[in-house]
Amino acid sequence: EGNVITLTKNVTLTEKYVIPEGTTRTIDLNGYTLTGPSDNYTIENKGTLTIVDNGATKGKIVGVAPSSSNIRNLGTLKVDGVTIESTFISIKNDSEGEFYGNLTVENSTITSNYQGTDTGAIMNWASATINNSTISNSGVAIYTSGGDSEDNLKNSTIAINNSSLTGSKYALYSRRDNTVPNTTSTQKVTVNGGTISGRFSAASNGGSDAAITGNVKVDNTTKYTLSDVLGRASSGANVTLTTDLTNENITVPEGVTLTIAKGATYRVSSSRRLTVEGDLVIEGTIDAAALVEDTNIYFGTLANAVKLIGDGHNVVVMKDVTENTITPYANKDITIDLNGNSVTANVTN
């Protein structure tokens, strides 16, 4: 009716539905499910497309093709309040020749069960904004790239606001290869608010511009998730750890606040350290053997604290510990404050 297509029952397509350049369309799922063909995109948009769901109960768009995106966008696409599922890529925001995708996802759930790391539930080669949405995948939630070769340059920007990113391998993967210099294409990622569950990899071989700019929660114990997020946190960001975590070496950058939420325990493991250059708010528990007060470094063992710090520091024992031999290097002046705790030797030490 006019430019609005409203589903009146579940629909399964036998071929992809194309919105041509210069065409404006709205698809209202109206509580029904739109399923794509088994060998192609469900929708390819080169015009202006809005997808909504005004049904009393919600439907979804399902992509079943094993190697084709569910929705490929080369025009302007807005997805608002919609569930999109796929066996491969749920939304590919693409650029090709004169076409450059402009994607907005709001209040939506975008999922995929593809387990590889070479794409994501959302793949971004162009310009995208994700607001108040849930993006999840068995592999990568969001994959964004500035190009993987000199012959395949992409101007890629994505802003992710107040959204949940969950990936078994990566919550976000931002790629730029060594063969693609920073000056030849744009690669920019900003995350403000929301939750990161899975690694946040944005270094790539050639470097990409990625930043945590607001308040972000880290809510799982995937290795390197917290250090990835803190490594990309800009001054003023507040990163909150909401679940128990045993860490790798982690640094809280200057100007950044790490909050250990109530009910969460952050354990500094035996060979690791936590360095606080910014601020640390402990509402839950820090489980560390020792704190070097004047450097604000937490160590997993008292022996490492004594061994690895320089001369003239005060080491505070944080809990009862059982340690191997503690050996200060020669000519090192250190004060150990037991702080009401006991230090016990291992049986053979």
Side-chain angles (χ1 to χ4, degrees):
E1 186 172 341
N3 289 325
V4 180
I5 300 170
T6 303
L7 269 63
T8 57
K9 64 178 182 179
N10 295 331
V11 175
T12 298
L13 301 176
T14 57
E15 59 183 9
K16 67 180 178 182
Y17 178 68
V18 179
I19 294 92
E21 183 181 8
T23 301
T24 299
R25 288 280 186 272
T26 295
I27 297 176
D28 181 358
L29 297 179
N30 193 33
Y32 295 100
T33 296
L34 174 63
T35 302
S38 60
D39 60 349
N40 213 323
Y41 309 124
T42 303
I43 298 171
E44 183 175 69
N45 175 51
K46 293 184 177 180
T48 300
L49 174 63
T50 301
I51 304 176
V52 297
D53 190 346
N54 290 321
T57 58
K58 299 303 180 183
K60 55 190 175 182
I61 300 177
V62 178
V64 296
S67 59
S68 291
S69 307
N70 193 343
I71 299 174
R72 185 191 189 206
N73 179 52
L74 288 161
T76 299
L77 172 63
K78 181 176 182 180
V79 177
D80 191 353
V82 174
T83 296
I84 300 175
E85 301 174 355
S86 179
T87 57
F88 190 50
I89 304 170
S90 285
I91 301 177
K92 184 177 183 180
N93 191 44
D94 210 351
S95 61
E96 182 179 79
E98 64 185 275
F99 294 103
Y100 184 77
N102 193 316
L103 170 68
T104 302
V105 177
E106 295 185 344
N107 312 306
S108 295
T109 300
I110 314 297
T111 66
S112 170
N113 58 16
Y114 180 72
Q115 297 184 8
T117 58
D118 54 343
T119 187
I122 292 178
M123 173 176 259
N124 182 55
W125 296 96
S127 176
T129 301
I130 315 296
N131 296 326
N132 306 305
S133 294
T134 298
I135 318 296
S136 62
N137 191 2
S138 299
V140 181
I142 294 179
Y143 183 110
T144 184
S145 179
D148 53 15
S149 70
E150 194 69 55
D151 298 326
N152 188 32
L153 299 178
K154 306 289 184 179
N155 289 313
S156 167
T157 63
I158 186 166
I160 305 164
N161 305 305
N162 301 313
S163 295
S164 173
L165 309 184
T166 301
S168 298
K169 296 180 173 69
Y170 293 94
L172 183 139
Y173 186 87
S174 179
R175 174 174 179 168
R176 180 198 290 274
D177 284 7
N178 284 330
T179 55
V180 183
N182 291 357
T183 55
T184 59
S185 65
T186 302
Q187 170 75 64
K188 187 173 181 64
V189 180
T190 58
V191 179
N192 189 341
T195 301
I196 304 293
S197 182
R199 292 202 62 185
F200 185 98
S201 178
S204 303
N205 291 334
S208 60
D209 181 3
I212 306 288
T213 60
N215 301 325
V216 174
K217 294 180 180 178
V218 174
D219 75 345
N220 78 340
T221 56
T222 301
K223 190 175 182 181
Y224 300 124
T225 299
L226 183 60
S227 57
D228 283 347
V229 170
L230 287 171
R232 290 287 168 176
S234 299
S235 182
N238 190 333
V239 178
T240 301
L241 178 67
T242 61
T243 55
D244 294 348
L245 177 65
T246 299
N247 78 298
E248 60 277 5
N249 289 324
I250 285 177
T251 297
V252 182
E254 186 176 354
V256 174
T257 299
L258 172 63
T259 299
I260 312 301
K262 185 176 180 180
T265 297
Y266 180 87
R267 178 176 175 266
V268 183
S269 57
S270 60
S271 61
R272 308 299 184 183
R273 69 176 79 179
L274 166 65
T275 303
V276 183
E277 297 173 355
D279 294 305
L280 178 64
V281 177
I282 305 173
E283 298 173 355
T285 304
I286 282 278
D287 182 2
L291 167 64
V292 183
E293 284 187 310
D294 48 332
T295 63
N296 231 6
I297 302 176
Y298 293 80
F299 285 90
T301 64
L302 177 58
N304 275 345
V306 170
K307 176 181 177 181
L308 297 175
I309 65 168
D311 185 48
H313 294 290
N314 297 323
V315 180
V316 178
V317 181
M318 302 286 291
K319 63 179 181 180
D320 291 345
V321 293
T322 299
E323 298 266 344
N324 294 326
T325 304
I326 298 169
T327 309
Y329 288 146
N331 303 316
K332 183 181 282 188
D333 183 358
I334 288 174
T335 298
I336 297 176
D337 179 359
L338 292 178
N339 191 32
N341 297 299
S342 297
V343 179
T344 303
N346 278 333
V347 144
T348 58
N349 290 276

